[in-house]
Amino acid sequence: MPMYADMEDDSIAGCRLITLDTHGDSSTGTLAVIENGSIEGFVIKRVYFIYDVPAGVSRGHHSHKSLDQIIVPLRGSFDITVDDGRNKHTYHMSKPSEGLLVVAGIWHSIDNFSPDALCMVLASDIYEEADYIRLYNEFLDTKR
């Protein structure tokens, strides 16, 4: 079951920027902290990274049936477009102290990676291929 949205309420309104807990200053550097359960009860079951994305390549292009994600730009920048089948919104991600919560039932794509981009994804569950909707028309069918 999705943690933040259910299939009756899976609009892009459920996607939002999350400010990470940070400590430090410009004289010593900054430490960003993510502890299991520290982000609105988000339980981390998987962490993965995306990097060395060639210019012009777009990632994602899928939705999840029950998995929620928090996507964080550790270095560089990229854009995330979220789509609920009716509305779309694009977030420009460039602050390692911010992550974007992408709830289950939302189609998303990531593009415009800067050459140095390092994208970290925190997932609420382990990898299960059956949780993915990879065809946009199939995704739209779930919204009807």
Side-chain angles (χ1 to χ4, degrees), residues 79-92:
D79 294 335
I80 305 172
T81 300
V82 293
D83 175 351
D84 62 15
R86 297 172 303 281
N87 301 295
K88 293 181 183 183
H89 184 77
T90 300
Y91 293 86
H92 180 70

Side-chain angles (χ1 to χ4, degrees), residues 73-78 91-98:
L74 295 181
R75 184 179 63 229
S77 65
F78 46 83
Y91 293 86
H92 180 70
M93 304 298 295
S94 63
K95 298 177 186 172
S97 61
E98 277 187 343

